[in-house]
Amino acid sequence: MATDVLPDAYPLRAGRRERALAQMDAYGLDVLVLGRQANIRYVTGAPQLWIAGTRPFGPMCVLVRATEDIYLNSTDDEGVPDEIGHDHLYGLAWNPMTLIDVLKKIDGADAARRVGTDAITPTFAALLPEAFPNAEIVDAEPAMRAARRVKTSDEIVAMGTAVRVAERGLAAALCEFAPGVSERTLAGAMMEAMAAGGVSTPATQDAAWVTSKEQPWRRADSGDVRQGDLVAFAAGALANGYVAEVGRTWPAGGSAPELFGRSDLLYDKMLAACRPGAPTSDLVAAYQAAGEPIPPMPIAHGLGLGFDPPVVSQTLLDAGEHDRLEAGMVLAITGYVWQEGVGAVFRRDSVHITEAGADVLTTSPVCATEADESIGPDPWR
């Protein structure tokens, strides 16, 4: 097994960097100062250490538009692309003034007129003008979001690893699925399979849950699968920096053909809404057209190096967060239908929006072993 930490392939990182530079030009940014892991990997192609939770902003990467030079916070060359020379690497420092001194020495720091950051803290808001004395410090996150929202063809290929790992994780959980099994056992099977595929970082919090028969958008309280339950599975994998998600629902014995039929109708309408130029509100309208209540949580969100725009929910639309879909976007779309006394059917797919419409990247995984009659017929085939 290879253990080397390698940078992203040159065509992948070069295509992303070209998009970032184009957005710097569009937003009039002379220099980018980045602190968010996803943005740093997008620009550099260097793998970043994944950390649970948030961390404060620090100037971990700098991109100069005029020269296309990249300066990266790294203690060694491992995983650093060849185009980032050793003299463009700088180490960690507890003292922020040490980092400011590094930025002062960057070619073009004195001449920069607009410097964008993807986040900021009060400390660096006060210190960055010392490094860029003639520049206005502005928010660069809109530029990075504009660059990242549409994927290059190489990015779509790169996402394939995350897709396959997520599918295998879901299939492994299904192999353990039977009345009497606990949600934790199902989650453990999913995590084990994804770890065996080289991914120890799940992209979603929940892995498997018994859907409530009393309330929509809730999980049952038991934690154990009982005969007749509808159990939702959600697998999300973060592989090579990219996220893919897939989700399905299976009945524990018996079936719920009416509810799965409603799910199919909703899903078809959501896919039909995934077309270039369509407003994101069409995804919400798909629920209305199918006669289903609109969930209180997002029903779609962008995928890429983490989560990218757009995020689609009725709450955001009511708040004026309107957007349009573009060819090259990748979305995780979520369908959810519920019936009292029966439970819910949950479905999630990773969908690539192309000029011709929706290209579904994920499939309906099945257990690799012989079918277990105790869990009932496969509702997705």
Side-chain angles (χ1 to χ4, degrees), residues 47 76 91 116 199 210 288 300 302 308 323-324 365 373:
D76 57 47
V199 174
V210 178
Q288 298 169 324
D308 287 336
D323 204 340
R324 287 192 176 273
E373 294 182 358

Side-chain angles (χ1 to χ4, degrees), residues 5 52 74 99 137 141 161 184 201 259 294 301 339 341 370:
V5 177
S74 181
L99 295 175
I137 309 298
E141 186 59 19
T161 300
R184 287 186 177 182
T201 306
L259 204 56
I294 301 171
H301 59 267
Q339 182 177 331
E370 187 175 349

